[in-house]
Amino acid sequence: MTAFWKLNNVIKVFIPSTEVSVVKATVVDIFGKQHLTQFIQSNEYNELDIASLSPGVYVLQINNGTSIEQTKFIKLSINENCPLFNFLFPSLIVW
């Protein structure tokens, strides 16, 4: 799984070829509360809208039916139009 965070409250997720064409993407907080669930296509770039999430630490889980991959991400409360923000975080990549 490769996930890219974009500045407009969207995470782009790419799932390499698997034996299934659709996988389940779930975003949970550090307490295990589920905030977002979406079914996404493998071998395509998919967008997850995280605008409704409050700032905090989250886990993106990708479930293909036989295994679950996880990656952590932090949603910040910061002005995305700030030149300093764009200088410090030109592109955040979560592996």
Side-chain angles (χ1 to χ4, degrees), residues 28 32 39 41 56 75 83 87-88:
V28 297
F39 290 93
Q41 300 290 319
K75 181 170 180 192
F87 172 76
L88 293 174

Side-chain angles (χ1 to χ4, degrees), residues 72-87:
K72 293 178 191 170
F73 69 93
I74 300 171
K75 181 170 180 192
L76 302 174
S77 176
I78 194 166
N79 183 350
E80 298 167 352
N81 297 318
C82 171
L84 179 60
F85 179 82
N86 291 326
F87 172 76

Side-chain angles (χ1 to χ4, degrees), residues 7-40:
L7 296 180
N8 59 352
N9 283 316
V10 172
I11 295 178
K12 288 191 81 125
V13 180
F14 180 80
I15 308 299
S17 178
T18 64
E19 296 174 5
V20 294
S21 60
V22 177
V23 297
K24 182 179 175 182
T26 305
V27 174
V28 297
D29 63 22
I30 58 172
F31 302 107
K33 181 180 177 190
Q34 185 173 314
H35 290 272
L36 173 71
T37 298
Q38 185 173 326
F39 290 93
I40 60 176

Side-chain angles (χ1 to χ4, degrees), residues 40-93:
I40 60 176
Q41 300 290 319
S42 27
N43 293 319
E44 292 182 18
Y45 281 97
N46 300 270
E47 293 188 349
L48 300 175
D49 184 358
I50 60 168
S52 63
L53 299 180
S54 299
V57 179
Y58 296 90
V59 177
L60 171 60
Q61 300 175 335
I62 302 296
N63 184 341
N64 68 6
T66 58
S67 65
I68 298 175
E69 289 186 59
Q70 301 184 114
T71 189
K72 293 178 191 170
F73 69 93
I74 300 171
K75 181 170 180 192
L76 302 174
S77 176
I78 194 166
N79 183 350
E80 298 167 352
N81 297 318
C82 171
L84 179 60
F85 179 82
N86 291 326
F87 172 76
L88 293 174
F89 305 104
S91 63
L92 294 176
I93 301 176

